[in-house]
Amino acid sequence: MELDVKKIVKILLSKWMVIAAVSLFMALLGFLYSTVFTVPMYSTTATVWAGVFDESTSEYQNTLTVQNRLRSFAYNTEMPCVLDDVHETLQMASDSGAYDGPVYTVKQLQGMVSTSVVSDTEHFTITVRNADRRYAQFIANEIAKETCHFHEVDKSQGRFTIVAEATMPEYPDNMSAISSAVIYFMVGFVLSCVAVIIVKLFDNRITSESDIKEAVDVTLIGVIPQYDFSSNANKNTKEGGDAK
Amino acid sequence: MKRKDMDNNRRYFILDENTPFHIKEAYKAVRTNILSVLSICDGPKIAVFTSAEPGDGKTGTCANVSVSFAQMGAKVLLIDADLRKPKINRVFNLKNTSGLSKYLCGQCPLTGENGAIKETNIENLFVMTSGSIPPNPSELLLSKNFDTMLRELADQFDYIFIDSPPVCAVTDAIVISGKTLGSFVVVRHKLTKKDVLRTAVSEIQNGGGRILGVVLNDFKYEKGRYVSDYRYEYRMSYHE
């Protein structure tokens, strides 16, 4: 089945209304989905410096060991060993009135926190994602504090310092309604173009002179236009039935 | 429209003074091309109108091309050789008690009061209806009587057009095509399939018949698609 670009363009232009309708419909769908069905989520990040230089032994750890240890610290931060304390802190803060949000369980906290190591440094980041920007900030900072306490005080792993506290996020993470509409529009456009081309490729009916030429190498001797003759009374016209 | 709906809703029109200008011109164009094609063929000017499948518009096209030729001043005979589902009698509101089948069985004369050939109210146009539906249509069309009849009629008429059944339904069209100059195949826009058309053409050719041309029927013009905007608008407005 051969196709050239010109033919594809002709096919698409012949169905431009269908393509436009589908694309606009998808854009509307994306817009509605973003505004009505999607809850805006906010992310904020705290950064911790894990000083792994051990002064007592004057030993420098090699780079690989440092990175491995940092990954361990980051990993521990997502674990109940740290989050248990965070949960308790939230409870106490809630009781004292310093925190008016829900007291998330450890499992819920694990669902909203993520950590990562900053490469070629001794830092790792703690990111919290929550539907409420205030809670996201509060929880991120509490986790940062607890992980520093856990590693430095409980486990004597070195000196841990919060170098950047989590700030209150201004905008949600999710795509804006407009961006969503644009992306859905593009998806709708591509899908409808593909569908139109596929339908046309598999349409075996004769729709033009070139189709006749393609099917049989026979001369076209005439084209009779479509004609609705029902409005024109014709004494020789008979709608089925027997002859007089 | 689907093919079965075409069958159920079939109606016919005949070119007359009420027919829009662009329709008449389309049939004139077909007539002109048929004249060119037939002029280079040797032998009696007898041609078949057929199609791949039912509902493509061969009866209507055949009837109106015959009318167009008659309007030109030629003496035309239109034969309804569809002995299984005859329609020409309905198109022209003619009795079908006597016709081709009865003539081939020797049960009626060619002309006269109960003859197979009837006059129509269109000058120069004569019609041979199919007659009553016989039990053996293919055998009648294969018979020597049919060949003899065509030879005799070729002397009396300038043009003979034969409306035949669709090729993919029965073999009658293939049989008749071999006895004439050739066949014009009617296809319907957005209904006839390419592979079915291909099969029909090859069956006629394999049966010894010749394909003289294709008529594209029921074509819906889209602006700028088949003819240029100017030509289409000019043609449409010329007669207004």
Side-chain angles (χ1 to χ4, degrees):
Chain A
M1 202 181 286
E2 287 179 19
L3 263 188
D4 55 43
V5 174
K6 205 170 161 184
K7 194 170 178 184
I8 292 173
V9 169
K10 267 189 183 169
I11 292 170
L12 293 176
L13 286 174
S14 69
K15 296 286 179 196
W16 71 268
M17 283 180 75
V18 170
I19 293 169
V22 170
S23 304
L24 287 171
F25 174 76
M26 290 291 284
L28 181 66
L29 209 64
F31 183 82
L32 285 174
Y33 179 76
S34 277
T35 48
V36 175
F37 297 106
T38 308
V39 176
M41 296 293 281
Y42 297 88
S43 290
T44 185
T45 303
T47 308
V48 174
W49 176 28
V52 293
F53 172 58
D54 188 348
E55 281 182 355
S56 65
T57 61
S58 298
E59 270 183 32
Y60 273 100
Q61 309 277 345
N62 67 47
T63 307
L64 193 58
T65 312
V66 166
Q67 290 297 308
N68 282 343
R69 290 185 70 185
L70 276 174
R71 276 190 217 105
S72 301
F73 299 148
Y75 184 77
N76 291 340
T77 305
E78 296 181 37
M79 291 296 115
C81 54
V82 171
L83 297 179
D84 261 338
D85 291 337
V86 175
H87 169 75
E88 281 179 23
T89 305
L90 288 180
Q91 184 68 65
M92 287 190 305
S94 179
D95 292 342
S96 68
Y99 171 70
D100 62 357
V103 178
Y104 296 105
T105 61
V106 170
K107 207 167 177 69
Q108 286 171 325
L109 288 169
Q110 281 182 309
M112 64 178 76
V113 69
S114 60
T115 57
S116 68
V117 172
V118 181
S119 53
D120 300 328
T121 69
E122 292 174 346
H123 298 75
F124 65 92
T125 59
I126 302 163
T127 303
V128 169
R129 199 159 181 265
N130 195 289
D132 190 311
R133 63 179 97 183
R134 294 173 303 146
Y135 305 157
Q137 182 193 23
F138 187 85
I139 293 167
N141 287 329
E142 287 308 313
I143 294 175
K145 286 177 199 165
E146 289 303 329
T147 200
C148 289
H149 188 269
F150 173 80
H151 289 104
E152 186 175 331
V153 176
D154 293 352
K155 300 298 173 190
S156 306
Q157 290 298 304
R159 288 197 295 278
F160 285 73
T161 313
I162 301 173
V163 295
E165 286 193 346
T167 54
M168 189 172 309
E170 219 175 306
Y171 302 107
D173 281 353
N174 338 62
M175 262 189 302
S176 68
I178 302 293
S179 310
S180 207
V182 169
I183 288 176
Y184 273 67
F185 178 90
M186 284 161 56
V187 168
F189 180 79
V190 169
L191 287 178
S192 56
C193 286
V194 168
V196 161
I197 291 170
I198 289 174
V199 166
K200 181 63 186 170
L201 282 181
F202 285 98
D203 185 1
N204 198 19
R205 299 172 304 164
I206 289 173
T207 57
S208 65
E209 180 185 351
S210 57
D211 287 342
I212 294 174
K213 201 77 187 156
E214 191 188 312
V216 292
D217 190 17
V218 177
T219 312
L220 179 70
I221 59 162
V223 178
I224 310 298
Q226 198 177 66
Y227 171 42
D228 179 12
F229 52 87
S230 53
S231 53
N232 277 344
N234 186 321
K235 63 185 172 192
N236 283 326
T237 305
K238 188 100 172 102
E239 193 173 319
D242 297 328
K244 294 190 277 198
Chain B
M1 192 181 269
K2 291 189 178 165
R3 200 169 279 282
K4 62 174 184 181
D5 293 332
M6 302 296 312
D7 224 22
N8 295 337
N9 300 332
R10 196 168 297 164
R11 294 177 300 164
Y12 305 97
F13 78 96
I14 293 297
L15 295 173
D16 66 356
E17 62 275 3
N18 295 323
T19 309
F21 176 76
H22 69 288
I23 300 293
K24 286 191 227 176
E25 283 303 298
Y27 278 105
K28 284 182 188 172
V30 171
R31 179 184 72 193
T32 304
N33 288 330
I34 290 176
L35 279 169
S36 305
V37 168
L38 293 181
S39 67
I40 59 174
C41 297
D42 291 328
K45 306 297 180 207
I46 308 173
V48 179
F49 278 81
T50 188
S51 65
E53 290 182 311
D56 284 345
K58 62 185 170 319
T59 299
T61 303
C62 181
N64 284 307
V65 165
S66 302
V67 168
S68 190
F69 269 79
Q71 287 171 345
M72 184 181 75
K75 194 175 177 192
V76 180
L77 174 64
L78 170 58
I79 300 176
D80 188 354
D82 189 345
L83 302 181
R84 299 164 201 272
K85 284 189 175 180
K87 293 174 280 292
I88 294 289
N89 56 298
R90 291 174 1 191
V91 175
F92 291 97
N93 284 339
L94 296 168
K95 283 185 190 174
N96 199 25
T97 44
S98 59
L100 175 64
S101 59
K102 282 211 163 167
Y103 174 76
L104 292 177
C105 292
Q107 292 172 4
C108 77
L110 254 184
T111 53
E113 197 182 318
N114 294 317
I117 296 176
K118 300 157 182 78
E119 286 184 14
T120 64
N121 55 5
I122 297 166
E123 196 184 345
N124 298 321
L125 178 63
F126 298 82
V127 169
M128 181 188 285
T129 56
S130 65
S132 48
I133 297 174
N136 55 343
S138 296
E139 286 73 21
L140 283 179
L141 295 171
L142 273 167
S143 67
K144 283 208 173 113
N145 286 347
F146 186 66
D147 297 344
T148 310
M149 181 197 80
L150 286 180
R151 274 198 300 274
E152 281 177 17
L153 292 174
D155 292 333
Q156 300 173 34
F157 292 93
D158 297 323
Y159 296 95
I160 299 175
F161 296 117
I162 304 176
D163 178 31
S164 77
V167 175
C168 295
V170 292
T171 57
D172 299 358
I174 301 167
V175 165
I176 302 168
S177 190
K179 297 170 188 282
T180 62
L181 279 182
S183 298
F184 294 105
V185 181
V186 179
V187 300
R188 189 179 281 271
H189 183 229
K190 289 190 179 178
L191 188 69
T192 308
K193 295 188 176 140
K194 290 179 211 169
D195 54 344
V196 175
L197 174 63
R198 212 175 283 131
T199 304
V201 165
S202 71
E203 283 191 9
I204 292 174
Q205 288 170 333
N206 291 341
R210 198 199 310 191
I211 302 293
L212 300 174
V214 171
V215 178
L216 178 54
N217 185 34
D218 203 29
F219 185 81
K220 187 178 175 192
Y221 280 102
E222 289 164 32
K223 219 166 170 351
R225 190 176 159 83
Y226 183 72
V227 296
S228 69
D229 289 358
Y230 171 73
R231 276 182 63 198
Y232 181 60
E233 294 292 335
Y234 177 78
R235 190 182 282 175
M236 288 292 285
S237 65
Y238 183 78
H239 197 61
E240 285 169 7

